[in-house]
PDB file of all heavy atoms in Angstrom:
ATOM      1  N   ALA U  19       0.859  -1.124   0.028  1.00  0.00           N
ATOM      2  CA  ALA U  19       0.020   0.005   0.039  1.00  0.00           C
ATOM      3  C   ALA U  19       0.803   1.220   0.014  1.00  0.00           C
ATOM      4  O   ALA U  19       1.891   1.302   0.758  1.00  0.00           O
ATOM      5  CB  ALA U  19      -0.985   0.007   1.251  1.00  0.00           C
ATOM      6  N   GLY U  20       0.502   2.214  -0.884  1.00  0.00           N
ATOM      7  CA  GLY U  20       1.231   3.514  -0.843  1.00  0.00           C
ATOM      8  C   GLY U  20       2.476   3.630  -1.661  1.00  0.00           C
ATOM      9  O   GLY U  20       2.966   4.730  -1.728  1.00  0.00           O
ATOM     10  N   VAL U  21       2.918   2.565  -2.260  1.00  0.00           N
ATOM     11  CA  VAL U  21       4.105   2.557  -3.003  1.00  0.00           C
ATOM     12  C   VAL U  21       3.908   3.033  -4.415  1.00  0.00           C
ATOM     13  O   VAL U  21       4.901   3.455  -5.207  1.00  0.00           O
ATOM     14  CB  VAL U  21       4.986   1.318  -2.895  1.00  0.00           C
ATOM     15  CG1 VAL U  21       5.327   1.032  -1.490  1.00  0.00           C
ATOM     16  CG2 VAL U  21       4.192   0.108  -3.539  1.00  0.00           C
ATOM     17  N   VAL U  22       2.734   2.846  -5.001  1.00  0.00           N
ATOM     18  CA  VAL U  22       2.441   3.219  -6.372  1.00  0.00           C
ATOM     19  C   VAL U  22       1.871   4.632  -6.480  1.00  0.00           C
ATOM     20  O   VAL U  22       0.891   4.949  -5.843  1.00  0.00           O
ATOM     21  CB  VAL U  22       1.465   2.150  -6.998  1.00  0.00           C
ATOM     22  CG1 VAL U  22       0.969   2.617  -8.391  1.00  0.00           C
ATOM     23  CG2 VAL U  22       1.989   0.710  -6.958  1.00  0.00           C
ATOM     24  N   ASP U  23       2.614   5.404  -7.315  1.00  0.00           N
ATOM     25  CA  ASP U  23       2.195   6.724  -7.584  1.00  0.00           C
ATOM     26  C   ASP U  23       1.229   6.753  -8.817  1.00  0.00           C
ATOM     27  O   ASP U  23       1.850   6.900  -9.898  1.00  0.00           O
ATOM     28  CB  ASP U  23       3.334   7.647  -7.694  1.00  0.00           C
ATOM     29  CG  ASP U  23       2.949   9.107  -7.709  1.00  0.00           C
ATOM     30  OD1 ASP U  23       1.785   9.393  -7.934  1.00  0.00           O
ATOM     31  OD2 ASP U  23       3.848  10.020  -7.367  1.00  0.00           O
ATOM     32  N   VAL U  24      -0.024   6.675  -8.575  1.00  0.00           N
ATOM     33  CA  VAL U  24      -1.004   6.624  -9.715  1.00  0.00           C
ATOM     34  C   VAL U  24      -0.876   7.820 -10.574  1.00  0.00           C
ATOM     35  O   VAL U  24      -1.039   7.701 -11.854  1.00  0.00           O
ATOM     36  CB  VAL U  24      -2.454   6.316  -9.261  1.00  0.00           C
ATOM     37  CG1 VAL U  24      -3.394   6.297 -10.458  1.00  0.00           C
ATOM     38  CG2 VAL U  24      -2.513   5.040  -8.510  1.00  0.00           C
ATOM     39  N   LYS U  25      -0.654   8.948 -10.051  1.00  0.00           N
ATOM     40  CA  LYS U  25      -0.614  10.179 -10.871  1.00  0.00           C
ATOM     41  C   LYS U  25       0.483  10.197 -11.857  1.00  0.00           C
ATOM     42  O   LYS U  25       0.450  10.858 -12.858  1.00  0.00           O
ATOM     43  CB  LYS U  25      -0.348  11.428  -9.829  1.00  0.00           C
ATOM     44  CG  LYS U  25      -1.561  11.656  -8.797  1.00  0.00           C
ATOM     45  CD  LYS U  25      -1.348  12.948  -8.066  1.00  0.00           C
ATOM     46  CE  LYS U  25      -0.159  12.913  -7.170  1.00  0.00           C
ATOM     47  NZ  LYS U  25       0.037  11.844  -6.255  1.00  0.00           N
ATOM     48  N   LYS U  26       1.510   9.464 -11.585  1.00  0.00           N
ATOM     49  CA  LYS U  26       2.672   9.427 -12.573  1.00  0.00           C
ATOM     50  C   LYS U  26       2.584   8.345 -13.701  1.00  0.00           C
ATOM     51  O   LYS U  26       3.369   8.318 -14.587  1.00  0.00           O
ATOM     52  CB  LYS U  26       3.987   9.062 -11.739  1.00  0.00           C
ATOM     53  CG  LYS U  26       4.390  10.294 -10.975  1.00  0.00           C
ATOM     54  CD  LYS U  26       5.836  10.028 -10.363  1.00  0.00           C
ATOM     55  CE  LYS U  26       6.258  11.343  -9.524  1.00  0.00           C
ATOM     56  NZ  LYS U  26       7.584  10.996  -8.927  1.00  0.00           N
ATOM     57  N   LEU U  27       1.481   7.585 -13.602  1.00  0.00           N
ATOM     58  CA  LEU U  27       1.293   6.533 -14.635  1.00  0.00           C
ATOM     59  C   LEU U  27       1.018   7.229 -15.881  1.00  0.00           C
ATOM     60  O   LEU U  27       0.324   8.230 -16.010  1.00  0.00           O
ATOM     61  CB  LEU U  27       0.154   5.627 -14.252  1.00  0.00           C
ATOM     62  CG  LEU U  27       0.286   4.696 -12.985  1.00  0.00           C
ATOM     63  CD1 LEU U  27      -0.980   4.061 -12.664  1.00  0.00           C
ATOM     64  CD2 LEU U  27       1.456   3.745 -13.094  1.00  0.00           C
ATOM     65  N   SER U  28       1.329   6.547 -16.992  1.00  0.00           N
ATOM     66  CA  SER U  28       1.024   7.000 -18.338  1.00  0.00           C
ATOM     67  C   SER U  28      -0.532   7.059 -18.389  1.00  0.00           C
ATOM     68  O   SER U  28      -1.215   6.246 -17.738  1.00  0.00           O
ATOM     69  CB  SER U  28       1.596   6.060 -19.375  1.00  0.00           C
ATOM     70  OG  SER U  28       1.170   6.411 -20.713  1.00  0.00           O
ATOM     71  N   ALA U  29      -1.063   7.910 -19.332  1.00  0.00           N
ATOM     72  CA  ALA U  29      -2.447   8.133 -19.388  1.00  0.00           C
ATOM     73  C   ALA U  29      -3.246   6.896 -19.697  1.00  0.00           C
ATOM     74  O   ALA U  29      -4.315   6.644 -19.217  1.00  0.00           O
ATOM     75  CB  ALA U  29      -2.748   9.146 -20.393  1.00  0.00           C
ATOM     76  N   SER U  30      -2.568   5.905 -20.468  1.00  0.00           N
ATOM     77  CA  SER U  30      -3.253   4.683 -20.821  1.00  0.00           C
ATOM     78  C   SER U  30      -3.516   3.710 -19.597  1.00  0.00           C
ATOM     79  O   SER U  30      -4.343   2.852 -19.700  1.00  0.00           O
ATOM     80  CB  SER U  30      -2.569   3.932 -21.924  1.00  0.00           C
ATOM     81  OG  SER U  30      -1.198   3.616 -21.460  1.00  0.00           O
ATOM     82  N   PHE U  31      -2.834   4.008 -18.435  1.00  0.00           N
ATOM     83  CA  PHE U  31      -2.934   3.231 -17.318  1.00  0.00           C
ATOM     84  C   PHE U  31      -3.813   3.826 -16.204  1.00  0.00           C
ATOM     85  O   PHE U  31      -4.405   3.210 -15.346  1.00  0.00           O
ATOM     86  CB  PHE U  31      -1.614   2.787 -16.736  1.00  0.00           C
ATOM     87  CG  PHE U  31      -0.801   1.926 -17.599  1.00  0.00           C
ATOM     88  CD1 PHE U  31       0.281   2.628 -18.343  1.00  0.00           C
ATOM     89  CD2 PHE U  31      -1.075   0.570 -17.915  1.00  0.00           C
ATOM     90  CE1 PHE U  31       0.955   1.821 -19.219  1.00  0.00           C
ATOM     91  CE2 PHE U  31      -0.362  -0.062 -18.680  1.00  0.00           C
ATOM     92  CZ  PHE U  31       0.772   0.492 -19.429  1.00  0.00           C
ATOM     93  N   ARG U  32      -3.816   5.365 -16.177  1.00  0.00           N
ATOM     94  CA  ARG U  32      -4.443   5.929 -15.101  1.00  0.00           C
ATOM     95  C   ARG U  32      -5.935   5.555 -14.977  1.00  0.00           C
ATOM     96  O   ARG U  32      -6.608   5.615 -13.896  1.00  0.00           O
ATOM     97  CB  ARG U  32      -4.254   7.440 -15.198  1.00  0.00           C
ATOM     98  CG  ARG U  32      -2.858   7.957 -14.852  1.00  0.00           C
ATOM     99  CD  ARG U  32      -2.750   9.390 -14.531  1.00  0.00           C
ATOM    100  NE  ARG U  32      -3.169  10.209 -15.708  1.00  0.00           N
ATOM    101  CZ  ARG U  32      -2.283  10.621 -16.621  1.00  0.00           C
ATOM    102  NH1 ARG U  32      -1.008  10.352 -16.570  1.00  0.00           N
ATOM    103  NH2 ARG U  32      -2.622  11.354 -17.620  1.00  0.00           N
ATOM    104  N   GLY U  33      -6.640   5.233 -16.116  1.00  0.00           N
ATOM    105  CA  GLY U  33      -8.026   5.082 -16.062  1.00  0.00           C
ATOM    106  C   GLY U  33      -8.352   3.554 -15.840  1.00  0.00           C
ATOM    107  O   GLY U  33      -9.552   3.244 -15.738  1.00  0.00           O
ATOM    108  N   MET U  34      -7.347   2.777 -15.606  1.00  0.00           N
ATOM    109  CA  MET U  34      -7.650   1.340 -15.393  1.00  0.00           C
ATOM    110  C   MET U  34      -8.107   1.136 -13.949  1.00  0.00           C
ATOM    111  O   MET U  34      -7.787   1.932 -13.026  1.00  0.00           O
ATOM    112  CB  MET U  34      -6.323   0.568 -15.521  1.00  0.00           C
ATOM    113  CG  MET U  34      -5.937   0.400 -17.054  1.00  0.00           C
ATOM    114  SD  MET U  34      -4.434  -0.724 -17.337  1.00  0.00           S
ATOM    115  CE  MET U  34      -4.453  -0.642 -19.115  1.00  0.00           C
ATOM    116  N   PRO U  35      -8.882  -0.019 -13.738  1.00  0.00           N
ATOM    117  CA  PRO U  35      -9.321  -0.310 -12.390  1.00  0.00           C
ATOM    118  C   PRO U  35      -8.205  -0.461 -11.367  1.00  0.00           C
ATOM    119  O   PRO U  35      -7.200  -1.135 -11.655  1.00  0.00           O
ATOM    120  CB  PRO U  35     -10.055  -1.725 -12.516  1.00  0.00           C
ATOM    121  CG  PRO U  35     -10.368  -1.736 -14.040  1.00  0.00           C
ATOM    122  CD  PRO U  35      -9.313  -1.088 -14.769  1.00  0.00           C
ATOM    123  N   SER U  36      -8.388   0.169 -10.155  1.00  0.00           N
ATOM    124  CA  SER U  36      -7.336   0.136  -9.278  1.00  0.00           C
ATOM    125  C   SER U  36      -7.042  -1.253  -8.730  1.00  0.00           C
ATOM    126  O   SER U  36      -5.872  -1.567  -8.445  1.00  0.00           O
ATOM    127  CB  SER U  36      -7.628   1.049  -8.068  1.00  0.00           C
ATOM    128  OG  SER U  36      -8.874   0.688  -7.387  1.00  0.00           O
ATOM    129  N   ASP U  37      -8.156  -2.096  -8.678  1.00  0.00           N
ATOM    130  CA  ASP U  37      -7.885  -3.470  -8.187  1.00  0.00           C
ATOM    131  C   ASP U  37      -7.077  -4.297  -9.173  1.00  0.00           C
ATOM    132  O   ASP U  37      -6.558  -5.293  -8.872  1.00  0.00           O
ATOM    133  CB  ASP U  37      -9.239  -4.092  -7.809  1.00  0.00           C
ATOM    134  CG  ASP U  37     -10.171  -4.220  -8.866  1.00  0.00           C
ATOM    135  OD1 ASP U  37      -9.946  -3.598  -9.930  1.00  0.00           O
ATOM    136  OD2 ASP U  37     -11.175  -4.838  -8.782  1.00  0.00           O
ATOM    137  N   SER U  38      -7.051  -3.813 -10.430  1.00  0.00           N
ATOM    138  CA  SER U  38      -6.217  -4.451 -11.458  1.00  0.00           C
ATOM    139  C   SER U  38      -4.772  -4.021 -11.351  1.00  0.00           C
ATOM    140  O   SER U  38      -3.883  -4.844 -11.402  1.00  0.00           O
ATOM    141  CB  SER U  38      -6.802  -4.184 -12.935  1.00  0.00           C
ATOM    142  OG  SER U  38      -6.032  -4.782 -13.782  1.00  0.00           O
ATOM    143  N   LEU U  39      -4.626  -2.715 -11.266  1.00  0.00           N
ATOM    144  CA  LEU U  39      -3.291  -2.153 -11.076  1.00  0.00           C
ATOM    145  C   LEU U  39      -2.551  -2.616  -9.894  1.00  0.00           C
ATOM    146  O   LEU U  39      -1.253  -2.665  -9.777  1.00  0.00           O
ATOM    147  CB  LEU U  39      -3.385  -0.614 -11.103  1.00  0.00           C
ATOM    148  CG  LEU U  39      -3.698  -0.013 -12.365  1.00  0.00           C
ATOM    149  CD1 LEU U  39      -3.980   1.539 -12.175  1.00  0.00           C
ATOM    150  CD2 LEU U  39      -2.630  -0.144 -13.535  1.00  0.00           C
ATOM    151  N   ASP U  40      -3.278  -3.011  -8.778  1.00  0.00           N
ATOM    152  CA  ASP U  40      -2.686  -3.395  -7.613  1.00  0.00           C
ATOM    153  C   ASP U  40      -2.154  -4.754  -7.680  1.00  0.00           C
ATOM    154  O   ASP U  40      -1.342  -5.173  -6.758  1.00  0.00           O
ATOM    155  CB  ASP U  40      -3.748  -3.289  -6.427  1.00  0.00           C
ATOM    156  CG  ASP U  40      -4.085  -1.944  -5.944  1.00  0.00           C
ATOM    157  OD1 ASP U  40      -3.311  -0.946  -6.303  1.00  0.00           O
ATOM    158  OD2 ASP U  40      -5.132  -1.735  -5.330  1.00  0.00           O
ATOM    159  N   VAL U  41      -2.483  -5.552  -8.652  1.00  0.00           N
ATOM    160  CA  VAL U  41      -2.188  -6.986  -8.652  1.00  0.00           C
ATOM    161  C   VAL U  41      -0.669  -7.032  -9.050  1.00  0.00           C
ATOM    162  O   VAL U  41      -0.263  -6.671 -10.079  1.00  0.00           O
ATOM    163  CB  VAL U  41      -2.952  -7.879  -9.629  1.00  0.00           C
ATOM    164  CG1 VAL U  41      -2.421  -9.360  -9.642  1.00  0.00           C
ATOM    165  CG2 VAL U  41      -4.414  -7.850  -9.141  1.00  0.00           C
ATOM    166  N   ARG U  42       0.084  -7.673  -8.136  1.00  0.00           N
ATOM    167  CA  ARG U  42       1.600  -7.935  -8.344  1.00  0.00           C
ATOM    168  C   ARG U  42       1.867  -9.216  -9.095  1.00  0.00           C
ATOM    169  O   ARG U  42       2.684  -9.300 -10.112  1.00  0.00           O
ATOM    170  CB  ARG U  42       2.205  -7.941  -6.997  1.00  0.00           C
ATOM    171  CG  ARG U  42       3.783  -8.234  -7.097  1.00  0.00           C
ATOM    172  CD  ARG U  42       4.378  -8.262  -5.651  1.00  0.00           C
ATOM    173  NE  ARG U  42       5.744  -8.787  -5.704  1.00  0.00           N
ATOM    174  CZ  ARG U  42       6.511  -8.932  -4.640  1.00  0.00           C
ATOM    175  NH1 ARG U  42       5.975  -8.693  -3.410  1.00  0.00           N
ATOM    176  NH2 ARG U  42       7.710  -9.412  -4.692  1.00  0.00           N
ATOM    177  N   ASP U  43       1.240 -10.277  -8.737  1.00  0.00           N
ATOM    178  CA  ASP U  43       1.279 -11.558  -9.479  1.00  0.00           C
ATOM    179  C   ASP U  43       0.115 -12.440  -9.093  1.00  0.00           C
ATOM    180  O   ASP U  43      -0.520 -12.292  -7.994  1.00  0.00           O
ATOM    181  CB  ASP U  43       2.630 -12.311  -9.155  1.00  0.00           C
ATOM    182  CG  ASP U  43       2.876 -12.463  -7.751  1.00  0.00           C
ATOM    183  OD1 ASP U  43       2.170 -13.163  -7.112  1.00  0.00           O
ATOM    184  OD2 ASP U  43       3.910 -11.848  -7.250  1.00  0.00           O
ATOM    185  N   VAL U  44      -0.241 -13.415 -10.003  1.00  0.00           N
ATOM    186  CA  VAL U  44      -1.394 -14.277  -9.729  1.00  0.00           C
ATOM    187  C   VAL U  44      -1.224 -15.562 -10.554  1.00  0.00           C
ATOM    188  O   VAL U  44      -0.576 -15.453 -11.689  1.00  0.00           O
ATOM    189  CB  VAL U  44      -2.740 -13.412 -10.097  1.00  0.00           C
ATOM    190  CG1 VAL U  44      -2.759 -13.159 -11.587  1.00  0.00           C
ATOM    191  CG2 VAL U  44      -3.938 -14.263  -9.684  1.00  0.00           C
ATOM    192  N   ILE U  45      -1.891 -16.469 -10.209  1.00  0.00           N
ATOM    193  CA  ILE U  45      -1.961 -17.733 -10.881  1.00  0.00           C
ATOM    194  C   ILE U  45      -3.347 -17.886 -11.491  1.00  0.00           C
ATOM    195  O   ILE U  45      -4.336 -17.829 -10.699  1.00  0.00           O
ATOM    196  CB  ILE U  45      -1.563 -19.075 -10.177  1.00  0.00           C
ATOM    197  CG1 ILE U  45      -0.171 -18.956  -9.683  1.00  0.00           C
ATOM    198  CG2 ILE U  45      -1.909 -20.320 -10.922  1.00  0.00           C
ATOM    199  CD1 ILE U  45       0.223 -20.088  -8.679  1.00  0.00           C
ATOM    200  N   TYR U  46      -3.487 -18.095 -12.799  1.00  0.00           N
ATOM    201  CA  TYR U  46      -4.804 -18.245 -13.452  1.00  0.00           C
ATOM    202  C   TYR U  46      -5.008 -19.712 -13.672  1.00  0.00           C
ATOM    203  O   TYR U  46      -4.123 -20.333 -14.403  1.00  0.00           O
ATOM    204  CB  TYR U  46      -4.907 -17.407 -14.786  1.00  0.00           C
ATOM    205  CG  TYR U  46      -4.653 -15.977 -14.649  1.00  0.00           C
ATOM    206  CD1 TYR U  46      -3.410 -15.383 -15.076  1.00  0.00           C
ATOM    207  CD2 TYR U  46      -5.666 -15.090 -14.282  1.00  0.00           C
ATOM    208  CE1 TYR U  46      -3.342 -13.928 -15.083  1.00  0.00           C
ATOM    209  CE2 TYR U  46      -5.505 -13.866 -14.155  1.00  0.00           C
ATOM    210  CZ  TYR U  46      -4.346 -13.161 -14.572  1.00  0.00           C
ATOM    211  OH  TYR U  46      -4.201 -11.800 -14.478  1.00  0.00           O
ATOM    212  N   ILE U  47      -6.061 -20.243 -13.101  1.00  0.00           N
ATOM    213  CA  ILE U  47      -6.376 -21.580 -13.472  1.00  0.00           C
ATOM    214  C   ILE U  47      -7.685 -21.536 -14.361  1.00  0.00           C
ATOM    215  O   ILE U  47      -8.708 -21.013 -13.994  1.00  0.00           O
ATOM    216  CB  ILE U  47      -6.771 -22.306 -12.091  1.00  0.00           C
ATOM    217  CG1 ILE U  47      -5.472 -22.366 -11.247  1.00  0.00           C
ATOM    218  CG2 ILE U  47      -7.181 -23.775 -12.453  1.00  0.00           C
ATOM    219  CD1 ILE U  47      -5.734 -23.152  -9.872  1.00  0.00           C
ATOM    220  N   SER U  48      -7.521 -22.071 -15.598  1.00  0.00           N
ATOM    221  CA  SER U  48      -8.556 -21.876 -16.611  1.00  0.00           C
ATOM    222  C   SER U  48      -9.089 -23.275 -17.135  1.00  0.00           C
ATOM    223  O   SER U  48      -8.248 -24.196 -17.273  1.00  0.00           O
ATOM    224  CB  SER U  48      -7.985 -21.117 -17.858  1.00  0.00           C
ATOM    225  OG  SER U  48      -7.396 -19.901 -17.415  1.00  0.00           O
ATOM    226  N   ARG U  49     -10.329 -23.389 -17.316  1.00  0.00           N
ATOM    227  CA  ARG U  49     -10.857 -24.508 -17.955  1.00  0.00           C
ATOM    228  C   ARG U  49     -11.859 -24.082 -19.018  1.00  0.00           C
ATOM    229  O   ARG U  49     -12.361 -22.930 -18.979  1.00  0.00           O
ATOM    230  CB  ARG U  49     -11.675 -25.319 -16.874  1.00  0.00           C
ATOM    231  CG  ARG U  49     -10.749 -25.996 -15.900  1.00  0.00           C
ATOM    232  CD  ARG U  49     -11.515 -26.788 -14.843  1.00  0.00           C
ATOM    233  NE  ARG U  49     -10.704 -27.518 -13.868  1.00  0.00           N
ATOM    234  CZ  ARG U  49     -10.182 -27.002 -12.766  1.00  0.00           C
ATOM    235  NH1 ARG U  49     -10.370 -25.712 -12.492  1.00  0.00           N
ATOM    236  NH2 ARG U  49      -9.528 -27.824 -11.945  1.00  0.00           N
ATOM    237  N   SER U  50     -12.090 -24.920 -19.998  1.00  0.00           N
ATOM    238  CA  SER U  50     -13.141 -24.574 -21.023  1.00  0.00           C
ATOM    239  C   SER U  50     -14.442 -24.229 -20.269  1.00  0.00           C
ATOM    240  O   SER U  50     -14.971 -25.027 -19.471  1.00  0.00           O
ATOM    241  CB  SER U  50     -13.297 -25.673 -22.033  1.00  0.00           C
ATOM    242  OG  SER U  50     -14.336 -25.385 -22.800  1.00  0.00           O
ATOM    243  N   SER U  51     -15.123 -23.168 -20.578  1.00  0.00           N
ATOM    244  CA  SER U  51     -16.294 -22.791 -19.922  1.00  0.00           C
ATOM    245  C   SER U  51     -17.516 -23.627 -20.431  1.00  0.00           C
ATOM    246  O   SER U  51     -18.529 -23.669 -19.728  1.00  0.00           O
ATOM    247  CB  SER U  51     -16.642 -21.298 -20.329  1.00  0.00           C
ATOM    248  OG  SER U  51     -16.730 -21.167 -21.753  1.00  0.00           O
TER     249      SER U  51
END
């Protein structure tokens, strides 16, 4: 928390969902729907 300076992000990222920008790494487990 607090280490990312959203104001300095390029314009293409500033409008993205904050909960997406916050993700550092994740494992996606996918199956055919």
Side-chain angles (χ1 to χ4, degrees):
V21 297
V22 173
D23 190 342
V24 177
K25 298 187 299 298
K26 289 186 177 180
L27 296 176
S28 174
S30 57
F31 298 103
R32 286 199 297 270
M34 289 184 175
S36 59
D37 57 352
S38 178
L39 290 170
D40 285 343
V41 177
R42 175 181 171 183
D43 52 66
V44 66
I45 296 174
Y46 299 104
I47 299 177
S48 307
R49 295 176 172 88
S50 172
S51 56

